[in-house]
Amino acid sequence: VKEASTKDEL
Amino acid sequence: MNIFRLAGDLTHLASVLVLLLKIHTIKSCAGISLKTQELYAIVFATRYLDLFTTYISLYNTLMKLIFLGSSFSIVWYIRKHKIVRRSYDKDQDTFRHYFIVLPCFVLALIIHEKFTVREVLWAFSLYLEAVAILPQLVLLQRTRNIDNLTGQYVFLLGAYRALYILNWIYRYFTEPHFVHWITWISGLVQTLLYADFFYYYFQSMKNNGKLQLPA
């Protein structure tokens, strides 16, 4: 499963 | 996207727009630390590098453009605008912010998720954001009482990061593998830095006097 990252945050 | 994160982003957006509006309308930047604004410009520049390479969502791209645009235009206003720059108190805003930038960069070289340019700069931007408010807090201590727009600016910034912590807690419980110590620790440190400001801010709201910070 794709690692949920905080990179999609601002 | 959850409500905490959306509220956090909107609060963050409000903080920069309040500041930009203040500077633009009253043509003054009294009480605002240029150093903090420059640090925020660096934070956004180093974190939003991926703006042109990876597309996450329209919302994400739009907000990044607004944050980049507003932080750089605030720096431009204070440095270059012929009227605004006169109200900049440079001999009070003396926090040597290179003492902040270098340790953050060294720390990013040591602690990061992957040793690539983008990841190291991303970690650097998180550490830098955590401490970027310091010159502004030092300036507030020096100038003692502050006009409430600056107080609102710092308050909104603190609220944005506090909401993000709720967002990370929410995501931790709802998304698998959502463990990101770098983001969490730097976000927590940043919020703690605001804690004492919040204390005095609420005190002044209670006795609705001018916000007086202790010496």
PDB file of all heavy atoms in Angstrom, chain B residues 3 11 16 37 60 68 73 93 109 112 114 119 166 174 187 192 203:
ATOM      1  N   ILE B   3     -10.914  18.127   8.192  1.00  0.00           N
ATOM      2  CA  ILE B   3     -11.336  19.464   8.618  1.00  0.00           C
ATOM      3  C   ILE B   3     -10.216  20.200   9.347  1.00  0.00           C
ATOM      4  O   ILE B   3     -10.049  21.400   9.176  1.00  0.00           O
ATOM      5  CB  ILE B   3     -12.606  19.367   9.505  1.00  0.00           C
ATOM      6  CG1 ILE B   3     -13.143  20.754   9.877  1.00  0.00           C
ATOM      7  CG2 ILE B   3     -12.345  18.568  10.759  1.00  0.00           C
ATOM      8  CD1 ILE B   3     -13.637  21.540   8.690  1.00  0.00           C
ATOM      9  N   THR B  11      -6.335  29.063   8.102  1.00  0.00           N
ATOM     10  CA  THR B  11      -5.804  29.954   9.137  1.00  0.00           C
ATOM     11  C   THR B  11      -4.445  30.493   8.710  1.00  0.00           C
ATOM     12  O   THR B  11      -4.137  31.672   8.871  1.00  0.00           O
ATOM     13  CB  THR B  11      -5.674  29.170  10.459  1.00  0.00           C
ATOM     14  OG1 THR B  11      -6.896  28.509  10.722  1.00  0.00           O
ATOM     15  CG2 THR B  11      -5.312  30.075  11.607  1.00  0.00           C
ATOM     16  N   VAL B  16      -1.175  35.243   6.468  1.00  0.00           N
ATOM     17  CA  VAL B  16      -0.353  36.000   5.511  1.00  0.00           C
ATOM     18  C   VAL B  16      -1.182  37.098   4.850  1.00  0.00           C
ATOM     19  O   VAL B  16      -0.692  38.194   4.585  1.00  0.00           O
ATOM     20  CB  VAL B  16       0.286  35.098   4.431  1.00  0.00           C
ATOM     21  CG1 VAL B  16       1.416  34.282   5.001  1.00  0.00           C
ATOM     22  CG2 VAL B  16      -0.714  34.208   3.758  1.00  0.00           C
ATOM     23  N   GLN B  37       9.952  37.288   8.042  1.00  0.00           N
ATOM     24  CA  GLN B  37       9.344  37.200   6.707  1.00  0.00           C
ATOM     25  C   GLN B  37      10.308  36.587   5.702  1.00  0.00           C
ATOM     26  O   GLN B  37       9.918  35.794   4.851  1.00  0.00           O
ATOM     27  CB  GLN B  37       8.899  38.585   6.253  1.00  0.00           C
ATOM     28  CG  GLN B  37       7.849  39.212   7.141  1.00  0.00           C
ATOM     29  CD  GLN B  37       6.687  38.270   7.426  1.00  0.00           C
ATOM     30  OE1 GLN B  37       6.183  37.589   6.536  1.00  0.00           O
ATOM     31  NE2 GLN B  37       6.284  38.195   8.673  1.00  0.00           N
ATOM     32  N   ASN B  60      -3.814  22.272  -3.828  1.00  0.00           N
ATOM     33  CA  ASN B  60      -2.439  22.261  -3.343  1.00  0.00           C
ATOM     34  C   ASN B  60      -1.581  23.250  -4.124  1.00  0.00           C
ATOM     35  O   ASN B  60      -0.872  24.077  -3.541  1.00  0.00           O
ATOM     36  CB  ASN B  60      -1.907  20.819  -3.489  1.00  0.00           C
ATOM     37  CG  ASN B  60      -0.634  20.603  -2.724  1.00  0.00           C
ATOM     38  OD1 ASN B  60       0.427  20.915  -3.256  1.00  0.00           O
ATOM     39  ND2 ASN B  60      -0.751  20.147  -1.489  1.00  0.00           N
ATOM     40  N   LEU B  68       3.742  31.379  -1.722  1.00  0.00           N
ATOM     41  CA  LEU B  68       5.011  31.877  -2.282  1.00  0.00           C
ATOM     42  C   LEU B  68       4.855  33.347  -2.635  1.00  0.00           C
ATOM     43  O   LEU B  68       5.657  34.198  -2.235  1.00  0.00           O
ATOM     44  CB  LEU B  68       5.378  31.068  -3.530  1.00  0.00           C
ATOM     45  CG  LEU B  68       6.034  29.712  -3.289  1.00  0.00           C
ATOM     46  CD1 LEU B  68       6.040  28.885  -4.564  1.00  0.00           C
ATOM     47  CD2 LEU B  68       7.431  29.886  -2.735  1.00  0.00           C
ATOM     48  N   SER B  73       6.136  38.866  -1.607  1.00  0.00           N
ATOM     49  CA  SER B  73       5.722  40.271  -1.768  1.00  0.00           C
ATOM     50  C   SER B  73       5.797  41.010  -0.442  1.00  0.00           C
ATOM     51  O   SER B  73       6.105  42.201  -0.420  1.00  0.00           O
ATOM     52  CB  SER B  73       4.309  40.372  -2.349  1.00  0.00           C
ATOM     53  OG  SER B  73       3.446  39.543  -1.662  1.00  0.00           O
ATOM     54  N   ASP B  93      15.195  44.960  14.894  1.00  0.00           N
ATOM     55  CA  ASP B  93      15.014  43.618  14.330  1.00  0.00           C
ATOM     56  C   ASP B  93      16.391  43.021  14.057  1.00  0.00           C
ATOM     57  O   ASP B  93      16.791  42.825  12.917  1.00  0.00           O
ATOM     58  CB  ASP B  93      14.193  43.738  13.024  1.00  0.00           C
ATOM     59  CG  ASP B  93      13.782  42.370  12.494  1.00  0.00           C
ATOM     60  OD1 ASP B  93      13.808  41.395  13.284  1.00  0.00           O
ATOM     61  OD2 ASP B  93      13.455  42.282  11.303  1.00  0.00           O
ATOM     62  N   LEU B 109      20.878  17.888   6.992  1.00  0.00           N
ATOM     63  CA  LEU B 109      21.869  16.988   6.380  1.00  0.00           C
ATOM     64  C   LEU B 109      22.003  15.711   7.209  1.00  0.00           C
ATOM     65  O   LEU B 109      22.381  14.655   6.707  1.00  0.00           O
ATOM     66  CB  LEU B 109      23.231  17.686   6.273  1.00  0.00           C
ATOM     67  CG  LEU B 109      23.335  18.789   5.204  1.00  0.00           C
ATOM     68  CD1 LEU B 109      24.684  19.489   5.283  1.00  0.00           C
ATOM     69  CD2 LEU B 109      23.112  18.203   3.816  1.00  0.00           C
ATOM     70  N   HIS B 112      16.934  13.200   7.831  1.00  0.00           N
ATOM     71  CA  HIS B 112      16.033  13.412   6.684  1.00  0.00           C
ATOM     72  C   HIS B 112      15.457  12.052   6.333  1.00  0.00           C
ATOM     73  O   HIS B 112      15.863  11.014   6.867  1.00  0.00           O
ATOM     74  CB  HIS B 112      16.828  13.976   5.507  1.00  0.00           C
ATOM     75  CG  HIS B 112      18.132  13.273   5.358  1.00  0.00           C
ATOM     76  ND1 HIS B 112      19.326  13.794   5.830  1.00  0.00           N
ATOM     77  CD2 HIS B 112      18.425  12.040   4.874  1.00  0.00           C
ATOM     78  CE1 HIS B 112      20.303  12.927   5.604  1.00  0.00           C
ATOM     79  NE2 HIS B 112      19.782  11.847   5.032  1.00  0.00           N
ATOM     80  N   LYS B 114      15.250  10.751   3.078  1.00  0.00           N
ATOM     81  CA  LYS B 114      16.149  10.137   2.078  1.00  0.00           C
ATOM     82  C   LYS B 114      17.222  11.167   1.757  1.00  0.00           C
ATOM     83  O   LYS B 114      16.963  12.371   1.796  1.00  0.00           O
ATOM     84  CB  LYS B 114      15.391   9.800   0.774  1.00  0.00           C
ATOM     85  CG  LYS B 114      14.627   8.499   0.800  1.00  0.00           C
ATOM     86  CD  LYS B 114      14.258   8.003  -0.608  1.00  0.00           C
ATOM     87  CE  LYS B 114      13.356   8.967  -1.355  1.00  0.00           C
ATOM     88  NZ  LYS B 114      11.973   8.952  -0.855  1.00  0.00           N
ATOM     89  N   GLU B 119      14.628  15.900  -0.628  1.00  0.00           N
ATOM     90  CA  GLU B 119      14.267  15.461   0.733  1.00  0.00           C
ATOM     91  C   GLU B 119      15.015  16.272   1.783  1.00  0.00           C
ATOM     92  O   GLU B 119      14.447  16.654   2.802  1.00  0.00           O
ATOM     93  CB  GLU B 119      14.605  13.976   0.908  1.00  0.00           C
ATOM     94  CG  GLU B 119      13.660  13.039   0.208  1.00  0.00           C
ATOM     95  CD  GLU B 119      12.264  13.073   0.828  1.00  0.00           C
ATOM     96  OE1 GLU B 119      12.140  13.381   2.022  1.00  0.00           O
ATOM     97  OE2 GLU B 119      11.301  12.814   0.098  1.00  0.00           O
ATOM     98  N   LEU B 166      -3.524  18.514  15.204  1.00  0.00           N
ATOM     99  CA  LEU B 166      -4.775  17.736  15.275  1.00  0.00           C
ATOM    100  C   LEU B 166      -4.935  16.940  13.983  1.00  0.00           C
ATOM    101  O   LEU B 166      -5.345  15.779  13.985  1.00  0.00           O
ATOM    102  CB  LEU B 166      -5.966  18.678  15.462  1.00  0.00           C
ATOM    103  CG  LEU B 166      -5.991  19.459  16.778  1.00  0.00           C
ATOM    104  CD1 LEU B 166      -7.228  20.354  16.840  1.00  0.00           C
ATOM    105  CD2 LEU B 166      -5.931  18.523  17.970  1.00  0.00           C
ATOM    106  N   THR B 174      -6.365   7.317  11.117  1.00  0.00           N
ATOM    107  CA  THR B 174      -7.229   6.899   9.995  1.00  0.00           C
ATOM    108  C   THR B 174      -6.436   6.364   8.809  1.00  0.00           C
ATOM    109  O   THR B 174      -6.992   5.766   7.928  1.00  0.00           O
ATOM    110  CB  THR B 174      -8.045   8.106   9.496  1.00  0.00           C
ATOM    111  OG1 THR B 174      -7.114   9.141   9.173  1.00  0.00           O
ATOM    112  CG2 THR B 174      -9.014   8.602  10.556  1.00  0.00           C
ATOM    113  N   GLY B 187       6.838  20.209  13.891  1.00  0.00           N
ATOM    114  CA  GLY B 187       5.552  20.904  14.070  1.00  0.00           C
ATOM    115  C   GLY B 187       5.246  21.126  15.537  1.00  0.00           C
ATOM    116  O   GLY B 187       4.745  22.181  15.936  1.00  0.00           O
ATOM    117  N   LEU B 192       4.982  24.780  20.311  1.00  0.00           N
ATOM    118  CA  LEU B 192       5.387  25.080  21.695  1.00  0.00           C
ATOM    119  C   LEU B 192       5.999  26.476  21.779  1.00  0.00           C
ATOM    120  O   LEU B 192       5.811  27.195  22.754  1.00  0.00           O
ATOM    121  CB  LEU B 192       6.376  24.017  22.197  1.00  0.00           C
ATOM    122  CG  LEU B 192       5.781  22.608  22.353  1.00  0.00           C
ATOM    123  CD1 LEU B 192       6.851  21.612  22.773  1.00  0.00           C
ATOM    124  CD2 LEU B 192       4.633  22.632  23.342  1.00  0.00           C
ATOM    125  N   GLN B 203      -4.442  36.430  27.926  1.00  0.00           N
ATOM    126  CA  GLN B 203      -4.498  37.308  29.102  1.00  0.00           C
ATOM    127  C   GLN B 203      -4.994  38.697  28.669  1.00  0.00           C
ATOM    128  O   GLN B 203      -5.892  39.286  29.249  1.00  0.00           O
ATOM    129  CB  GLN B 203      -3.104  37.458  29.719  1.00  0.00           C
ATOM    130  CG  GLN B 203      -2.569  36.214  30.371  1.00  0.00           C
ATOM    131  CD  GLN B 203      -3.327  35.872  31.647  1.00  0.00           C
ATOM    132  OE1 GLN B 203      -4.051  36.681  32.201  1.00  0.00           O
ATOM    133  NE2 GLN B 203      -3.174  34.635  32.079  1.00  0.00           N
TER     134      GLN B 203
END
